[in-house]
Amino acid sequence: MLLYSSITKKVFMALAGLFLISFLCVHLGINLMLLKDDGGRAFTEAATFMGTNALIKIFEIVLFAGFFIHIFFGLLVSGQNKSARPSPYAVSNHSETAPFSKYMFHTGIIVLIFLAIHFFDFYFIKIGLVAPPPGVPAHDFYHRTLLLFSSPWYSLLYITCFVVLGIHLNHAIQSAIQTLGWNHSKYMDAVKVIGSVYSCTIAAGFTLVPLFILFFRR
Amino acid sequence: MKFTLKIWRQKNATAKGEMISYDVAGISPDSSFFEMLDTLNQNLVMTGGEPVAFDHDCREGICGTCSLYINGRPHGPVKGVTTCQLHMRSFVDGDTIHIEPWRAKAFPVIRDLVVDRSAFDKIIQAGGYVSVNTGGVPDANTIPVPKEKSEAAMDAAACIGCGACVAACSNAAAMLFIGAKVSHLALLPQGKVEAAMRVQKMVACLDELGFGLCSNTYACEAECPKGISVANIARMNRQFIGAKLFSEKEKTVRDSL
Ligand code: SF4
Ligand code: FES
């Protein structure tokens, strides 16, 4: 993997990234069920389905592989890029660039930290690596979520992370398309718009849940 | 006009360099950036100093020899021009101007503002050509080329190999340069024959030279004096992926014996 050509590394990153982006959509769909006023029935049902269905279990492995490839190549490429300019400029660069595109590493690291927190909060509890908080059974994601979002600080952290993810995705989608060589004068502008709309939807959708719980479910 | 210049001075490739401050006065707004530097060098020579070394040749924006990273931008503040086409009227009287060499591992500084860009030559040598047998000169127009294709090829061929794309890139990647070189040959029937081999060889060479990897910030396109489009990078990626997936393994001499 270390010896792959520069373009191959980026193609892997792009494909894994696009897969992760499609997964976010599914995750958002399940999260939005929390907004339903049914005592968490729909949400729990969906969570149980995701946790037990055999096909989903296989997909879970693919998902972890996606995370691994994207993060591994992301770190590798960033390291290589750092070493490509050993002596920096005295005046920092003023060139016009795609919005926030220079900060993909930084936003990526913040999302990675969030991912770690998220695993501790849910996945590790589910598989029994971490003890659940008192009074909440290991598989009760609904009450676990309510408990977490009852803290305004946690909600703020969560919202911040999703805004950062939105910024990451805004560049990521059109960047992946460009890396895969699908840049074309006919539709590249549309790709950029769709990418921005998608990333805003993801950021707004995930943010809606803690806000809703904070203000309407207390 | 008068200016304070902060210029990177470095005796040779191994010496440690630093930014040194100089003042120049009596500069006409219509003089070019290089004429302004010539004035500075004249003053330096007259006072027994070492003139500042910088690259230049045609001074009309066609050869790709000039460079200079001026106030945080390759080729200075004006879009679509090389440093040799930059005039002092683009600056404000009394300005402090920072002048640095291109910075990239693959472009080591040789002296002051001069960097070694032979990495680009190596990339071209790796595959940026069309192999032809010697013989009579073919008639013009024996190979028909569609108008749009020839236009697109010409647009890509406008690249003068200056390296501003590498200098501007936060990753010091050379993708715009190589994208332009791969594209302008691959778009023409003469270059198509070797396209799959060419792109693989040129990318392999690029990877050995220590350039960074493109993260599609598009600073290159914004700074390219010849307006080369990043669509050329995508075209190269497309060809590279296609070549890796579908092209036959190249036959060695031994295979064909
Ligand atoms: S692509 Fe543009 S910036 Fe890069 S070397 Fe060619 S002319 Fe210079
Ligand atoms: S000196 Fe030839 S392009 Fe500037």
Side-chain angles (χ1 to χ4, degrees), chain A residues 5-6 10 80-81 83-85 87 89-91 93-98 101 171 174-175 178-179 181 183, chain B residues 69 72 100-101 103 105 166-169 171 207 212-218 223 230 234 237-238 240:
Chain A
S5 78
S6 50
K10 285 168 36 59
Q80 230 172 308
N81 286 349
S83 72
R85 179 167 291 134
S87 18
Y89 288 112
V91 179
N93 187 269
H94 279 65
S95 304
E96 192 187 303
T97 55
S101 57
H171 180 63
Q174 57 94 11
S175 176
Q178 162 83 2
T179 296
N183 178 325
Chain B
Y69 184 85
E100 300 177 67
R103 292 279 186 205
K105 189 162 114 196
V166 178
C169 177
N171 313 317
D207 286 347
L213 281 70
C214 177
S215 61
N216 304 323
T217 69
Y218 309 140
E223 296 298 359
V230 294
N237 290 348
R238 200 150 71 217
F240 181 83

mmCIF file of all heavy atoms in Angstrom, chain A residues 5-6 10 80-81 83-85 87 89-91 93-98 101 171 174-175 178-179 181 183, chain B residues 69 72 100-101 103 105 166-169 171 207 212-218 223 230 234 237-238 240:
data_model
loop_
_atom_site.group_PDB
_atom_site.id
_atom_site.type_symbol
_atom_site.label_atom_id
_atom_site.label_comp_id
_atom_site.label_asym_id
_atom_site.label_seq_id
_atom_site.Cartn_x
_atom_site.Cartn_y
_atom_site.Cartn_z
ATOM 1 N N SER A 5 1.157 4.082 -6.474
ATOM 2 C CA SER A 5 1.450 5.392 -7.064
ATOM 3 C C SER A 5 0.564 6.454 -6.417
ATOM 4 O O SER A 5 -0.433 6.135 -5.771
ATOM 5 C CB SER A 5 1.178 5.345 -8.556
ATOM 6 O OG SER A 5 -0.208 5.432 -8.759
ATOM 7 N N SER A 6 0.965 7.710 -6.612
ATOM 8 C CA SER A 6 0.222 8.799 -5.970
ATOM 9 C C SER A 6 -1.252 8.774 -6.372
ATOM 10 O O SER A 6 -2.135 8.939 -5.542
ATOM 11 C CB SER A 6 0.849 10.137 -6.339
ATOM 12 O OG SER A 6 1.015 10.223 -7.737
ATOM 13 N N LYS A 10 -4.779 8.052 -4.049
ATOM 14 C CA LYS A 10 -5.890 9.007 -3.992
ATOM 15 C C LYS A 10 -7.191 8.396 -4.489
ATOM 16 O O LYS A 10 -8.266 8.716 -3.977
ATOM 17 C CB LYS A 10 -5.535 10.258 -4.790
ATOM 18 C CG LYS A 10 -4.541 11.132 -4.025
ATOM 19 C CD LYS A 10 -3.940 12.223 -4.846
ATOM 20 C CE LYS A 10 -4.887 12.815 -5.850
ATOM 21 N NZ LYS A 10 -6.089 13.403 -5.287
ATOM 22 N N GLN A 80 3.211 12.618 3.272
ATOM 23 C CA GLN A 80 3.993 12.782 2.050
ATOM 24 C C GLN A 80 3.953 14.247 1.585
ATOM 25 O O GLN A 80 4.950 14.790 1.131
ATOM 26 C CB GLN A 80 3.392 11.897 0.964
ATOM 27 C CG GLN A 80 4.417 11.035 0.261
ATOM 28 C CD GLN A 80 3.730 10.045 -0.656
ATOM 29 O OE1 GLN A 80 2.835 9.319 -0.232
ATOM 30 N NE2 GLN A 80 4.122 10.018 -1.908
ATOM 31 N N ASN A 81 2.776 14.855 1.712
ATOM 32 C CA ASN A 81 2.635 16.246 1.289
ATOM 33 C C ASN A 81 3.440 17.189 2.160
ATOM 34 O O ASN A 81 3.986 18.172 1.690
ATOM 35 C CB ASN A 81 1.161 16.654 1.295
ATOM 36 C CG ASN A 81 0.412 16.045 0.131
ATOM 37 O OD1 ASN A 81 1.018 15.501 -0.783
ATOM 38 N ND2 ASN A 81 -0.899 16.125 0.162
ATOM 39 N N SER A 83 6.227 16.465 3.618
ATOM 40 C CA SER A 83 7.652 16.325 3.303
ATOM 41 C C SER A 83 7.983 16.843 1.899
ATOM 42 O O SER A 83 9.141 16.995 1.553
ATOM 43 C CB SER A 83 8.092 14.873 3.456
ATOM 44 O OG SER A 83 7.568 14.118 2.402
ATOM 45 N N ALA A 84 6.964 17.134 1.088
ATOM 46 C CA ALA A 84 7.232 17.644 -0.256
ATOM 47 C C ALA A 84 7.660 19.115 -0.236
ATOM 48 O O ALA A 84 8.100 19.643 -1.248
ATOM 49 C CB ALA A 84 6.004 17.484 -1.141
ATOM 50 N N ARG A 85 7.479 19.783 0.912
ATOM 51 C CA ARG A 85 7.968 21.167 1.023
ATOM 52 C C ARG A 85 8.683 21.319 2.360
ATOM 53 O O ARG A 85 8.099 21.802 3.334
ATOM 54 C CB ARG A 85 6.817 22.165 0.888
ATOM 55 C CG ARG A 85 7.305 23.619 1.025
ATOM 56 C CD ARG A 85 6.272 24.638 0.579
ATOM 57 N NE ARG A 85 6.057 24.614 -0.855
ATOM 58 C CZ ARG A 85 4.863 24.615 -1.424
ATOM 59 N NH1 ARG A 85 3.783 24.643 -0.694
ATOM 60 N NH2 ARG A 85 4.771 24.575 -2.744
ATOM 61 N N SER A 87 11.269 23.266 3.345
ATOM 62 C CA SER A 87 11.446 24.633 3.857
ATOM 63 C C SER A 87 10.257 25.476 3.444
ATOM 64 O O SER A 87 9.957 25.612 2.261
ATOM 65 C CB SER A 87 12.741 25.262 3.339
ATOM 66 O OG SER A 87 13.226 24.569 2.222
ATOM 67 N N TYR A 89 7.604 28.783 3.055
ATOM 68 C CA TYR A 89 7.726 30.167 2.609
ATOM 69 C C TYR A 89 7.738 31.098 3.818
ATOM 70 O O TYR A 89 7.141 30.778 4.857
ATOM 71 C CB TYR A 89 6.536 30.541 1.724
ATOM 72 C CG TYR A 89 6.544 29.905 0.351
ATOM 73 C CD1 TYR A 89 5.605 28.946 -0.005
ATOM 74 C CD2 TYR A 89 7.491 30.282 -0.595
ATOM 75 C CE1 TYR A 89 5.598 28.372 -1.266
ATOM 76 C CE2 TYR A 89 7.496 29.706 -1.863
ATOM 77 C CZ TYR A 89 6.553 28.758 -2.186
ATOM 78 O OH TYR A 89 6.547 28.209 -3.436
ATOM 79 N N ALA A 90 8.372 32.252 3.663
ATOM 80 C CA ALA A 90 8.336 33.253 4.732
ATOM 81 C C ALA A 90 6.956 33.909 4.777
ATOM 82 O O ALA A 90 6.417 34.192 5.835
ATOM 83 C CB ALA A 90 9.414 34.306 4.491
ATOM 84 N N VAL A 91 6.380 34.140 3.591
ATOM 85 C CA VAL A 91 5.028 34.706 3.515
ATOM 86 C C VAL A 91 4.088 33.559 3.158
ATOM 87 O O VAL A 91 4.313 32.861 2.173
ATOM 88 C CB VAL A 91 4.951 35.794 2.419
ATOM 89 C CG1 VAL A 91 3.555 36.370 2.331
ATOM 90 C CG2 VAL A 91 5.974 36.884 2.670
ATOM 91 N N ASN A 93 0.933 31.379 1.827
ATOM 92 C CA ASN A 93 0.353 31.429 0.490
ATOM 93 C C ASN A 93 -0.940 32.246 0.436
ATOM 94 O O ASN A 93 -1.804 32.144 1.301
ATOM 95 C CB ASN A 93 0.096 29.994 0.022
ATOM 96 C CG ASN A 93 -0.344 29.959 -1.406
ATOM 97 O OD1 ASN A 93 -1.523 30.003 -1.693
ATOM 98 N ND2 ASN A 93 0.597 29.930 -2.324
ATOM 99 N N HIS A 94 -1.037 33.068 -0.607
ATOM 100 C CA HIS A 94 -2.224 33.906 -0.785
ATOM 101 C C HIS A 94 -3.031 33.496 -2.009
ATOM 102 O O HIS A 94 -3.901 34.240 -2.454
ATOM 103 C CB HIS A 94 -1.803 35.367 -0.948
ATOM 104 C CG HIS A 94 -1.519 36.037 0.350
ATOM 105 N ND1 HIS A 94 -0.473 35.674 1.177
ATOM 106 C CD2 HIS A 94 -2.151 37.033 1.001
ATOM 107 C CE1 HIS A 94 -0.486 36.430 2.245
ATOM 108 N NE2 HIS A 94 -1.483 37.257 2.175
ATOM 109 N N SER A 95 -2.706 32.347 -2.603
ATOM 110 C CA SER A 95 -3.403 31.944 -3.817
ATOM 111 C C SER A 95 -4.865 31.633 -3.522
ATOM 112 O O SER A 95 -5.206 31.173 -2.442
ATOM 113 C CB SER A 95 -2.738 30.707 -4.414
ATOM 114 O OG SER A 95 -1.383 30.949 -4.645
ATOM 115 N N GLU A 96 -5.659 31.886 -4.532
ATOM 116 C CA GLU A 96 -7.087 31.578 -4.432
ATOM 117 C C GLU A 96 -7.241 30.042 -4.461
ATOM 118 O O GLU A 96 -6.627 29.378 -5.297
ATOM 119 C CB GLU A 96 -7.709 32.187 -5.679
ATOM 120 C CG GLU A 96 -9.179 32.293 -5.748
ATOM 121 C CD GLU A 96 -9.542 32.780 -7.162
ATOM 122 O OE1 GLU A 96 -9.057 33.860 -7.571
ATOM 123 O OE2 GLU A 96 -10.262 32.049 -7.833
ATOM 124 N N THR A 97 -8.041 29.487 -3.563
ATOM 125 C CA THR A 97 -8.237 28.029 -3.578
ATOM 126 C C THR A 97 -9.730 27.711 -3.407
ATOM 127 O O THR A 97 -10.507 28.597 -3.049
ATOM 128 C CB THR A 97 -7.500 27.345 -2.407
ATOM 129 O OG1 THR A 97 -7.937 27.948 -1.191
ATOM 130 C CG2 THR A 97 -5.995 27.472 -2.526
ATOM 131 N N ALA A 98 -10.076 26.458 -3.661
ATOM 132 C CA ALA A 98 -11.441 26.007 -3.378
ATOM 133 C C ALA A 98 -11.669 26.183 -1.875
ATOM 134 O O ALA A 98 -10.754 25.967 -1.088
ATOM 135 C CB ALA A 98 -11.598 24.549 -3.791
ATOM 136 N N SER A 101 -10.327 23.985 1.178
ATOM 137 C CA SER A 101 -9.697 22.779 0.651
ATOM 138 C C SER A 101 -8.314 22.539 1.235
ATOM 139 O O SER A 101 -7.832 21.411 1.250
ATOM 140 C CB SER A 101 -9.595 22.885 -0.874
ATOM 141 O OG SER A 101 -8.875 24.046 -1.223
ATOM 142 N N HIS A 171 -15.816 20.007 0.334
ATOM 143 C CA HIS A 171 -14.723 19.875 -0.628
ATOM 144 C C HIS A 171 -14.585 18.427 -1.100
ATOM 145 O O HIS A 171 -14.247 18.172 -2.254
ATOM 146 C CB HIS A 171 -13.409 20.347 -0.015
ATOM 147 C CG HIS A 171 -12.243 20.232 -0.968
ATOM 148 N ND1 HIS A 171 -12.191 20.944 -2.140
ATOM 149 C CD2 HIS A 171 -11.132 19.459 -0.952
ATOM 150 C CE1 HIS A 171 -11.084 20.641 -2.782
ATOM 151 N NE2 HIS A 171 -10.420 19.732 -2.105
ATOM 152 N N GLN A 174 -16.739 16.919 -4.486
ATOM 153 C CA GLN A 174 -16.256 17.287 -5.827
ATOM 154 C C GLN A 174 -14.799 16.881 -6.010
ATOM 155 O O GLN A 174 -14.363 16.571 -7.112
ATOM 156 C CB GLN A 174 -16.499 18.771 -6.110
ATOM 157 C CG GLN A 174 -15.901 19.747 -5.130
ATOM 158 C CD GLN A 174 -14.542 20.230 -5.569
ATOM 159 O OE1 GLN A 174 -14.137 20.000 -6.684
ATOM 160 N NE2 GLN A 174 -13.823 20.863 -4.663
ATOM 161 N N SER A 175 -14.049 16.848 -4.908
ATOM 162 C CA SER A 175 -12.647 16.445 -4.986
ATOM 163 C C SER A 175 -12.521 14.971 -5.380
ATOM 164 O O SER A 175 -11.670 14.599 -6.197
ATOM 165 C CB SER A 175 -11.980 16.705 -3.634
ATOM 166 O OG SER A 175 -10.664 16.247 -3.636
ATOM 167 N N GLN A 178 -13.233 14.631 -9.027
ATOM 168 C CA GLN A 178 -12.075 15.088 -9.806
ATOM 169 C C GLN A 178 -10.972 14.025 -9.797
ATOM 170 O O GLN A 178 -10.391 13.707 -10.830
ATOM 171 C CB GLN A 178 -11.577 16.412 -9.206
ATOM 172 C CG GLN A 178 -10.156 16.817 -9.580
ATOM 173 C CD GLN A 178 -10.062 17.527 -10.931
ATOM 174 O OE1 GLN A 178 -11.073 17.747 -11.588
ATOM 175 N NE2 GLN A 178 -8.852 17.855 -11.353
ATOM 176 N N THR A 179 -10.701 13.458 -8.625
ATOM 177 C CA THR A 179 -9.654 12.446 -8.515
ATOM 178 C C THR A 179 -9.970 11.226 -9.369
ATOM 179 O O THR A 179 -9.085 10.638 -9.991
ATOM 180 C CB THR A 179 -9.479 12.021 -7.044
ATOM 181 O OG1 THR A 179 -9.020 13.156 -6.317
ATOM 182 C CG2 THR A 179 -8.485 10.885 -6.890
ATOM 183 N N GLY A 181 -11.378 11.283 -12.017
ATOM 184 C CA GLY A 181 -11.266 11.677 -13.418
ATOM 185 C C GLY A 181 -12.593 11.998 -14.070
ATOM 186 O O GLY A 181 -12.701 12.014 -15.288
ATOM 187 N N ASN A 183 -14.178 14.837 -13.980
ATOM 188 C CA ASN A 183 -14.379 16.273 -14.180
ATOM 189 C C ASN A 183 -14.736 16.517 -15.641
ATOM 190 O O ASN A 183 -14.015 16.123 -16.538
ATOM 191 C CB ASN A 183 -13.089 17.012 -13.811
ATOM 192 C CG ASN A 183 -13.186 18.501 -14.023
ATOM 193 O OD1 ASN A 183 -13.834 18.971 -14.942
ATOM 194 N ND2 ASN A 183 -12.535 19.259 -13.168
ATOM 195 N N TYR B 69 8.306 33.993 -6.139
ATOM 196 C CA TYR B 69 7.120 33.921 -5.284
ATOM 197 C C TYR B 69 7.021 35.281 -4.600
ATOM 198 O O TYR B 69 7.813 35.612 -3.721
ATOM 199 C CB TYR B 69 7.344 32.789 -4.290
ATOM 200 C CG TYR B 69 6.230 32.446 -3.358
ATOM 201 C CD1 TYR B 69 5.211 31.571 -3.732
ATOM 202 C CD2 TYR B 69 6.214 32.936 -2.052
ATOM 203 C CE1 TYR B 69 4.216 31.208 -2.852
ATOM 204 C CE2 TYR B 69 5.219 32.571 -1.160
ATOM 205 C CZ TYR B 69 4.225 31.716 -1.566
ATOM 206 O OH TYR B 69 3.243 31.349 -0.685
ATOM 207 N N GLY B 72 3.621 36.070 -1.377
ATOM 208 C CA GLY B 72 2.768 34.904 -1.154
ATOM 209 C C GLY B 72 2.088 34.369 -2.395
ATOM 210 O O GLY B 72 1.195 33.524 -2.291
ATOM 211 N N GLU B 100 10.583 35.507 -2.841
ATOM 212 C CA GLU B 100 11.169 34.227 -2.429
ATOM 213 C C GLU B 100 11.287 33.303 -3.635
ATOM 214 O O GLU B 100 10.601 33.486 -4.639
ATOM 215 C CB GLU B 100 10.269 33.559 -1.383
ATOM 216 C CG GLU B 100 10.074 34.370 -0.124
ATOM 217 C CD GLU B 100 9.117 33.679 0.831
ATOM 218 O OE1 GLU B 100 9.472 32.611 1.357
ATOM 219 O OE2 GLU B 100 8.005 34.202 1.030
ATOM 220 N N PRO B 101 12.144 32.308 -3.531
ATOM 221 C CA PRO B 101 12.204 31.314 -4.614
ATOM 222 C C PRO B 101 11.025 30.340 -4.504
ATOM 223 O O PRO B 101 10.362 30.282 -3.472
ATOM 224 C CB PRO B 101 13.524 30.591 -4.341
ATOM 225 C CG PRO B 101 13.751 30.736 -2.867
ATOM 226 C CD PRO B 101 13.099 32.026 -2.453
ATOM 227 N N ARG B 103 9.345 27.023 -3.566
ATOM 228 C CA ARG B 103 9.722 26.125 -2.479
ATOM 229 C C ARG B 103 9.117 24.747 -2.694
ATOM 230 O O ARG B 103 7.892 24.601 -2.676
ATOM 231 C CB ARG B 103 9.206 26.665 -1.137
ATOM 232 C CG ARG B 103 9.880 27.930 -0.687
ATOM 233 C CD ARG B 103 11.187 27.623 -0.042
ATOM 234 N NE ARG B 103 11.791 28.816 0.527
ATOM 235 C CZ ARG B 103 13.102 28.927 0.711
ATOM 236 N NH1 ARG B 103 13.919 27.950 0.366
ATOM 237 N NH2 ARG B 103 13.589 30.010 1.259
ATOM 238 N N LYS B 105 10.528 20.313 -2.328
ATOM 239 C CA LYS B 105 11.656 19.385 -2.209
ATOM 240 C C LYS B 105 12.223 19.065 -3.595
ATOM 241 O O LYS B 105 13.431 18.946 -3.773
ATOM 242 C CB LYS B 105 11.190 18.100 -1.525
ATOM 243 C CG LYS B 105 12.320 17.168 -1.177
ATOM 244 C CD LYS B 105 11.856 16.166 -0.135
ATOM 245 C CE LYS B 105 11.845 14.776 -0.713
ATOM 246 N NZ LYS B 105 11.062 13.849 0.114
ATOM 247 N N VAL B 166 3.400 24.156 -8.907
ATOM 248 C CA VAL B 166 4.030 23.477 -7.762
ATOM 249 C C VAL B 166 4.242 24.479 -6.629
ATOM 250 O O VAL B 166 3.984 24.189 -5.463
ATOM 251 C CB VAL B 166 5.379 22.860 -8.183
ATOM 252 C CG1 VAL B 166 6.063 22.204 -7.003
ATOM 253 C CG2 VAL B 166 5.192 21.868 -9.317
ATOM 254 N N ALA B 167 4.707 25.680 -7.011
ATOM 255 C CA ALA B 167 5.005 26.695 -5.999
ATOM 256 C C ALA B 167 3.754 27.119 -5.243
ATOM 257 O O ALA B 167 3.797 27.374 -4.043
ATOM 258 C CB ALA B 167 5.644 27.905 -6.665
ATOM 259 N N ALA B 168 2.623 27.180 -5.937
ATOM 260 C CA ALA B 168 1.392 27.640 -5.294
ATOM 261 C C ALA B 168 0.737 26.554 -4.463
ATOM 262 O O ALA B 168 0.065 26.830 -3.477
ATOM 263 C CB ALA B 168 0.406 28.103 -6.363
ATOM 264 N N CYS B 169 0.945 25.312 -4.854
ATOM 265 C CA CYS B 169 0.230 24.194 -4.236
ATOM 266 C C CYS B 169 0.647 23.996 -2.787
ATOM 267 O O CYS B 169 1.837 23.972 -2.484
ATOM 268 C CB CYS B 169 0.515 22.919 -5.023
ATOM 269 S SG CYS B 169 -0.254 21.466 -4.307
ATOM 270 N N ASN B 171 0.570 21.409 -1.282
ATOM 271 C CA ASN B 171 1.207 20.096 -1.190
ATOM 272 C C ASN B 171 2.431 19.980 -2.091
ATOM 273 O O ASN B 171 2.991 18.905 -2.221
ATOM 274 C CB ASN B 171 0.222 18.994 -1.612
ATOM 275 C CG ASN B 171 -1.120 19.153 -0.961
ATOM 276 O OD1 ASN B 171 -1.202 19.443 0.217
ATOM 277 N ND2 ASN B 171 -2.184 18.983 -1.722
ATOM 278 N N ASP B 207 6.362 10.384 -9.165
ATOM 279 C CA ASP B 207 6.353 9.882 -7.787
ATOM 280 C C ASP B 207 7.757 9.749 -7.208
ATOM 281 O O ASP B 207 7.953 9.872 -6.002
ATOM 282 C CB ASP B 207 5.634 8.528 -7.723
ATOM 283 C CG ASP B 207 4.132 8.690 -7.865
ATOM 284 O OD1 ASP B 207 3.661 9.847 -7.763
ATOM 285 O OD2 ASP B 207 3.432 7.685 -8.084
ATOM 286 N N GLY B 212 4.440 16.477 -3.979
ATOM 287 C CA GLY B 212 3.342 16.066 -3.109
ATOM 288 C C GLY B 212 2.201 15.470 -3.916
ATOM 289 O O GLY B 212 2.284 15.339 -5.137
ATOM 290 N N LEU B 213 1.122 15.111 -3.205
ATOM 291 C CA LEU B 213 -0.038 14.528 -3.871
ATOM 292 C C LEU B 213 -1.154 15.563 -3.904
ATOM 293 O O LEU B 213 -1.406 16.249 -2.924
ATOM 294 C CB LEU B 213 -0.519 13.280 -3.130
ATOM 295 C CG LEU B 213 0.285 12.005 -3.389
ATOM 296 C CD1 LEU B 213 1.648 12.072 -2.771
ATOM 297 C CD2 LEU B 213 -0.470 10.804 -2.861
ATOM 298 N N CYS B 214 -1.822 15.626 -5.012
ATOM 299 C CA CYS B 214 -2.856 16.631 -5.237
ATOM 300 C C CYS B 214 -4.027 16.455 -4.275
ATOM 301 O O CYS B 214 -4.514 15.345 -4.087
ATOM 302 C CB CYS B 214 -3.356 16.476 -6.670
ATOM 303 S SG CYS B 214 -4.674 17.567 -7.117
ATOM 304 N N SER B 215 -4.469 17.550 -3.631
ATOM 305 C CA SER B 215 -5.707 17.452 -2.855
ATOM 306 C C SER B 215 -6.771 18.383 -3.442
ATOM 307 O O SER B 215 -7.691 18.796 -2.743
ATOM 308 C CB SER B 215 -5.454 17.715 -1.368
ATOM 309 O OG SER B 215 -4.935 19.008 -1.181
ATOM 310 N N ASN B 216 -6.614 18.694 -4.715
ATOM 311 C CA ASN B 216 -7.626 19.443 -5.452
ATOM 312 C C ASN B 216 -7.996 20.782 -4.806
ATOM 313 O O ASN B 216 -9.171 21.117 -4.704
ATOM 314 C CB ASN B 216 -8.894 18.587 -5.633
ATOM 315 C CG ASN B 216 -8.586 17.278 -6.319
ATOM 316 O OD1 ASN B 216 -7.751 17.225 -7.219
ATOM 317 N ND2 ASN B 216 -9.239 16.205 -5.907
ATOM 318 N N THR B 217 -6.993 21.537 -4.368
ATOM 319 C CA THR B 217 -7.287 22.873 -3.839
ATOM 320 C C THR B 217 -7.422 23.875 -4.983
ATOM 321 O O THR B 217 -7.970 24.945 -4.803
ATOM 322 C CB THR B 217 -6.172 23.377 -2.909
ATOM 323 O OG1 THR B 217 -4.998 23.642 -3.683
ATOM 324 C CG2 THR B 217 -5.822 22.370 -1.827
ATOM 325 N N TYR B 218 -6.875 23.522 -6.131
ATOM 326 C CA TYR B 218 -6.949 24.325 -7.358
ATOM 327 C C TYR B 218 -6.191 25.647 -7.285
ATOM 328 O O TYR B 218 -6.460 26.559 -8.074
ATOM 329 C CB TYR B 218 -8.412 24.565 -7.782
ATOM 330 C CG TYR B 218 -9.224 23.294 -7.849
ATOM 331 C CD1 TYR B 218 -10.541 23.243 -7.408
ATOM 332 C CD2 TYR B 218 -8.655 22.116 -8.338
ATOM 333 C CE1 TYR B 218 -11.283 22.063 -7.460
ATOM 334 C CE2 TYR B 218 -9.388 20.937 -8.389
ATOM 335 C CZ TYR B 218 -10.700 20.920 -7.947
ATOM 336 O OH TYR B 218 -11.424 19.763 -7.991
ATOM 337 N N GLU B 223 -3.140 30.198 -10.230
ATOM 338 C CA GLU B 223 -1.853 30.882 -10.399
ATOM 339 C C GLU B 223 -1.186 30.607 -11.745
ATOM 340 O O GLU B 223 -0.194 31.244 -12.076
ATOM 341 C CB GLU B 223 -0.889 30.484 -9.277
ATOM 342 C CG GLU B 223 -1.332 30.907 -7.887
ATOM 343 C CD GLU B 223 -1.446 32.427 -7.731
ATOM 344 O OE1 GLU B 223 -1.156 33.161 -8.695
ATOM 345 O OE2 GLU B 223 -1.842 32.856 -6.643
ATOM 346 N N VAL B 230 -7.764 22.652 -14.496
ATOM 347 C CA VAL B 230 -7.618 21.413 -13.734
ATOM 348 C C VAL B 230 -8.363 20.243 -14.380
ATOM 349 O O VAL B 230 -8.180 19.097 -13.971
ATOM 350 C CB VAL B 230 -8.073 21.564 -12.257
ATOM 351 C CG1 VAL B 230 -7.160 22.505 -11.501
ATOM 352 C CG2 VAL B 230 -9.519 22.004 -12.175
ATOM 353 N N ALA B 234 -7.909 15.876 -14.286
ATOM 354 C CA ALA B 234 -8.916 14.810 -14.292
ATOM 355 C C ALA B 234 -8.741 13.909 -15.505
ATOM 356 O O ALA B 234 -8.871 12.689 -15.413
ATOM 357 C CB ALA B 234 -10.320 15.411 -14.278
ATOM 358 N N ASN B 237 -5.975 11.606 -14.696
ATOM 359 C CA ASN B 237 -6.407 10.589 -13.736
ATOM 360 C C ASN B 237 -7.221 9.503 -14.432
ATOM 361 O O ASN B 237 -7.032 8.311 -14.199
ATOM 362 C CB ASN B 237 -7.271 11.217 -12.636
ATOM 363 C CG ASN B 237 -6.460 12.106 -11.714
ATOM 364 O OD1 ASN B 237 -5.237 12.091 -11.751
ATOM 365 N ND2 ASN B 237 -7.133 12.870 -10.888
ATOM 366 N N ARG B 238 -8.129 9.957 -15.273
ATOM 367 C CA ARG B 238 -9.000 9.050 -16.032
ATOM 368 C C ARG B 238 -8.143 8.094 -16.868
ATOM 369 O O ARG B 238 -8.328 6.892 -16.863
ATOM 370 C CB ARG B 238 -9.808 9.953 -16.966
ATOM 371 C CG ARG B 238 -11.056 9.415 -17.520
ATOM 372 C CD ARG B 238 -12.023 10.562 -17.751
ATOM 373 N NE ARG B 238 -11.655 11.444 -18.854
ATOM 374 C CZ ARG B 238 -11.843 12.762 -18.821
ATOM 375 N NH1 ARG B 238 -12.337 13.337 -17.749
ATOM 376 N NH2 ARG B 238 -11.516 13.505 -19.850
ATOM 377 N N PHE B 240 -4.978 7.402 -16.457
ATOM 378 C CA PHE B 240 -4.119 6.582 -15.618
ATOM 379 C C PHE B 240 -4.905 5.382 -15.079
ATOM 380 O O PHE B 240 -4.435 4.243 -15.128
ATOM 381 C CB PHE B 240 -3.575 7.425 -14.453
ATOM 382 C CG PHE B 240 -2.655 6.662 -13.540
ATOM 383 C CD1 PHE B 240 -1.313 6.517 -13.862
ATOM 384 C CD2 PHE B 240 -3.117 6.076 -12.372
ATOM 385 C CE1 PHE B 240 -0.454 5.819 -13.042
ATOM 386 C CE2 PHE B 240 -2.270 5.369 -11.537
ATOM 387 C CZ PHE B 240 -0.933 5.244 -11.875
#
